[in-house]
């Protein structure tokens, strides 16, 4: 795994034998302690599919 930072974006790259996967994060990556924010994220992104 390689992690690097661009202006306004953090990128994580995973290398496998037959492919490459990456994730990028463009938020401010602030730390939050308010459960309402976490619940909102779960409601928006969680799926049983």
């Amino acid at each position: 795994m390689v992690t690097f930072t661009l202006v306004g974006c953090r990128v994580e790259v995973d290398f496998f034998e037959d492919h490459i996967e990456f994730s990028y994060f463009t938020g401010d990556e602030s730390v939050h302690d308010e459960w309402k924010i976490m619940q909102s994220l779960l409601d928006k992104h969680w799926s049983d599919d």
Side-chain angles (χ1 to χ4, degrees), residues 15-44:
F15 297 89
F16 299 91
E17 259 186 56
D18 59 346
H19 70 284
I20 297 172
E21 295 177 356
F22 68 93
S23 299
Y24 61 95
F25 307 90
T26 57
D28 64 7
E29 299 189 37
S30 298
V31 175
H32 301 278
D33 62 359
E34 206 175 317
W35 179 251
K36 290 179 187 178
I37 295 170
M38 176 62 77
Q39 189 62 50
S40 175
L41 289 169
L42 292 171
D43 291 343
K44 181 175 179 180

Side-chain angles (χ1 to χ4, degrees), residues 4-20:
F4 59 93
T5 303
L6 304 170
V7 175
C9 182
R10 183 171 57 87
V11 182
E12 295 178 354
V13 184
D14 286 312
F15 297 89
F16 299 91
E17 259 186 56
D18 59 346
H19 70 284
I20 297 172

